[in-house]
Amino acid sequence: MSEIRVTKVEQGQTKIRNVPIAVTPEGFWCCPSPNVFQKSLKTQNTLNKPKTPLPTAQTPGQKKQTSVTEKRPASGAPKSGTVSDEKRGVSSDTPAVTASVPAERTPRSKTENVPKKVSIEFGEPGTSDFRVILLGKQGFTVKLNVHKNILVENSSSFANKISEQQPVFPCIEIDDCEDVEIYVETIGLMYCKELKQRLIKQSVSRVLRIIKVAEQLGFKSCMQSCLEYLEAVPWVGEEEEEKVVSSVRRLQSEGIGVTPVLKRVSSDISKPHKDTFSHILELVLKSNEERGRREMKSVVLKLLRENNCLPSSSDSVDSYNEIIYGSCRSCLDSMLILFKQAAEPEFSGNSIDSRDPVVKQMVLEADNLSWMLEILTDRQAADEFAVMWASQQELASLHTKLPIVSRHHLSCITSKLFVGIGKGELLPSKDTRNLLLQTWLQPLINDYSWLQHGCRSFDRKVVEEGIGRTILTLPLEEQQSILLSWLGSFLKSGDNCPNLQRAFEVWWRRTFVRPYAESGNSRPLNQVMTPKVTEH
């Protein structure tokens, strides 16, 4: 391990800091520690800030010195086939690397306003034949003593600039360098044989910075090694994935292999999504394992909701909905067969072992239908489901023939439809809404007591509001027919029946109050409805 020495002189006070840098097996500096840049920039910012005079002044002769030295055993003997050890003049054990801060004494009054400049130098000027000067922001300068043939062999950008340059000026300046630290590391990587090994244990964000500088320098072997690293290392989080993909796609025009990296987020197979989604949906619908099924239903629903927020073609949306509706029809057909089987007189006399599989499959199919209804509602495509459910008269007629513990799952589906219509999430036709109420409202009333006490997800107020609003979307005559039928059930069952009082009040006012208000008759309703009594 070699050292960079940063010397800083300010107002009669000297501070020396030793900062370690890494050394390649070939015997040349490669990857300076980020500390040298971070600490130097921090020092520069501190120097540029105005300072208030201290109560006690130090004598010019006072000095404060701190030293921290880290040493790392050097690797094996240099094995570079490109640059000889004699030309470098730098051994693999103790390469001479220095960094200095120019010392200038100025009066105290001027140093408060004049910004300080920090200069760091790498390499041995006596053994190198070329210099690269990186001019960073805020006066931060790095001087690299390097070898011309190394730059020409590895960097097309340096090769072009050197070929255009006169021999008397063996120096290149890079102005406004945004990432000085990575520039130094990338140029140092030109001296390494195994670039990929140098990237091990680096963070993805740092490798992206390296590949950006390598692209600017035309350092293709480094770019390729970075791509191999990115292809193998995990990307943590969506933000990091987006950064990797955008950086790699920018390199597609460079003629290097970016396809292996991009294959992680894209597929060459044409139109795989429809078949893949159908397979995933089928696996979830047929699963009997409660926990895995519950968690994957939640995951698929969440991911489909995210897809709903993205712009997509109408063809892909229609194809997904078509797959879901195909599964809905399959579940309804299976449900009807199971209900017919359970409604047979001899079924109740069978053993529990023979009845349980049928009952469990009925519950599974009802849960599948409820989940797919939720998916279709999120996709604003559940109107056809309402049509399918309203036309299930045979299934509704079998409803009363089964025990409530087996049949109440159908009423949960009916409740969801009423809630969706009441919220405006479904917009079925008037005939569909009327048929839905005529077919499934009475079975729902029959199961209402069980739903309140045996179904944890059942929200009575929300369901009652949805039923009432659905009724009130119908013509007035049909509202009256349904509400009067409900009234008879409510007066018999009380809390075991949906409370549609609000809908009843709206219908009452539409029927008895509005006609008089529109005709200009200002008499109160009680005067219109109450007969006059004459005393004798």
Side-chain angles (χ1 to χ4, degrees), residues 64-131:
K64 184 179 180 181
Q65 180 174 354
T66 59
S67 175
V68 178
T69 304
E70 294 183 18
K71 295 185 179 181
R72 180 191 302 173
S75 303
K79 298 179 182 180
S80 174
T82 306
V83 183
S84 64
D85 291 340
E86 291 81 9
K87 188 170 184 177
R88 292 197 195 104
V90 184
S91 70
S92 61
D93 295 326
T94 57
V97 184
T98 62
S100 61
V101 178
E104 294 183 4
R105 288 186 176 275
T106 55
R108 181 182 296 272
S109 60
K110 293 183 179 180
T111 58
E112 294 180 358
N113 299 323
V114 179
K116 309 296 187 300
K117 293 186 178 181
V118 176
S119 178
I120 300 177
E121 186 168 345
F122 292 101
E124 188 65 44
T127 59
S128 62
D129 60 0
F130 204 77
R131 173 174 284 190

Side-chain angles (χ1 to χ4, degrees), residues 520-532:
N521 192 333
S522 59
R523 289 183 300 167
L525 182 62
N526 58 356
Q527 294 183 13
V528 176
M529 298 296 294
T530 305
K532 186 176 180 181

Side-chain angles (χ1 to χ4, degrees), residues 125-153:
T127 59
S128 62
D129 60 0
F130 204 77
R131 173 174 284 190
V132 177
I133 300 177
L134 308 175
L135 302 177
K137 297 180 179 179
Q138 300 177 349
F140 188 69
T141 304
V142 176
K143 299 176 183 178
L144 307 177
N145 297 299
V146 292
H147 303 89
K148 185 187 298 184
N149 62 331
I150 294 293
L151 299 183
V152 172
E153 290 175 6

Side-chain angles (χ1 to χ4, degrees), residues 81-335:
T82 306
V83 183
S84 64
D85 291 340
E86 291 81 9
K87 188 170 184 177
R88 292 197 195 104
V90 184
S91 70
S92 61
D93 295 326
T94 57
V97 184
T98 62
S100 61
V101 178
E104 294 183 4
R105 288 186 176 275
T106 55
R108 181 182 296 272
S109 60
K110 293 183 179 180
T111 58
E112 294 180 358
N113 299 323
V114 179
K116 309 296 187 300
K117 293 186 178 181
V118 176
S119 178
I120 300 177
E121 186 168 345
F122 292 101
E124 188 65 44
T127 59
S128 62
D129 60 0
F130 204 77
R131 173 174 284 190
V132 177
I133 300 177
L134 308 175
L135 302 177
K137 297 180 179 179
Q138 300 177 349
F140 188 69
T141 304
V142 176
K143 299 176 183 178
L144 307 177
N145 297 299
V146 292
H147 303 89
K148 185 187 298 184
N149 62 331
I150 294 293
L151 299 183
V152 172
E153 290 175 6
N154 291 279
S155 169
S156 60
S157 175
F158 280 136
N160 294 334
K161 291 180 180 179
I162 291 173
S163 64
E164 297 171 357
Q165 204 173 44
Q166 296 181 4
V168 294
F169 299 108
C171 176
I172 290 178
E173 287 189 359
I174 300 178
D175 299 328
D176 297 328
C177 187
E178 295 182 358
D179 201 342
V180 175
E181 176 188 344
I182 298 301
Y183 257 93
V184 173
E185 180 172 356
T186 304
I187 294 175
L189 288 172
M190 295 180 184
Y191 288 82
C192 297
K193 286 184 177 180
E194 298 295 334
L195 294 180
K196 189 176 178 181
Q197 298 300 320
R198 284 287 164 188
L199 299 176
I200 292 177
K201 294 186 179 181
Q202 295 281 0
S203 65
V204 172
S205 59
R206 189 172 183 87
V207 172
L208 292 178
R209 291 165 64 192
I210 293 174
I211 202 172
K212 181 179 179 181
V213 174
E215 179 189 6
Q216 295 172 359
L217 298 178
F219 188 5
K220 289 197 173 183
S221 60
C222 180
M223 294 162 63
Q224 187 62 49
S225 296
C226 290
L227 289 172
E228 292 174 3
Y229 165 90
L230 293 172
E231 191 277 331
V233 74
W235 308 335
V236 181
E238 293 184 7
E239 183 178 355
E240 185 170 271
E241 179 175 312
E242 288 297 327
K243 289 180 180 178
V244 172
V245 172
S246 61
S247 298
V248 172
R249 281 178 175 166
R250 192 179 63 245
L251 303 176
Q252 285 180 322
S253 60
E254 298 292 333
I256 57 177
V258 301
T259 303
V261 181
L262 295 179
K263 276 188 174 181
R264 191 181 296 191
V265 295
S266 60
S267 175
D268 296 334
I269 304 174
S270 59
K271 298 181 180 179
H273 307 295
K274 183 177 178 180
D275 295 338
T276 304
F277 174 71
S278 177
H279 183 59
I280 293 171
L281 188 65
E282 183 180 2
L283 288 174
V284 176
L285 294 177
K286 291 184 177 181
S287 173
N288 291 317
E289 205 285 318
E290 184 178 355
R291 180 179 177 183
R293 173 185 168 84
R294 181 177 64 252
E295 291 187 1
M296 288 311 302
K297 280 168 53 183
S298 177
V299 169
V300 172
L301 182 62
K302 181 188 72 172
L303 295 175
L304 286 174
R305 283 173 176 169
E306 292 178 3
N307 289 356
N308 294 341
C309 300
L310 300 176
S312 57
S313 64
S314 58
D315 293 338
S316 63
V317 172
D318 291 342
S319 63
Y320 277 51
N321 294 342
E322 181 181 348
I323 292 171
I324 297 171
Y325 272 116
S327 298
C328 288
R329 295 185 186 94
S330 177
C331 288
L332 281 172
D333 293 341
S334 176
M335 180 74 73

Side-chain angles (χ1 to χ4, degrees), residues 387-452:
V387 176
M388 293 169 54
W389 192 250
S391 61
Q392 297 296 317
Q393 284 83 11
E394 186 177 5
L395 186 61
S397 64
L398 295 170
H399 181 271
T400 55
K401 299 180 180 180
L402 270 65
I404 192 171
V405 68
S406 304
R407 74 190 190 199
H408 76 277
H409 299 283
L410 299 186
S411 295
C412 292
I413 299 173
T414 304
S415 300
K416 282 191 173 183
L417 283 169
F418 285 141
V419 171
I421 295 173
K423 291 181 176 180
E425 297 172 345
L426 283 76
L427 300 174
S429 66
K430 177 194 67 176
D431 293 338
T432 300
R433 299 193 302 273
N434 188 24
L435 184 61
L436 182 65
L437 287 162
Q438 297 292 345
T439 304
W440 288 107
L441 181 57
Q442 190 57 49
L444 174 60
I445 293 174
N446 296 338
D447 295 342
Y448 206 72
S449 176
W450 182 275
L451 292 173
Q452 292 182 77

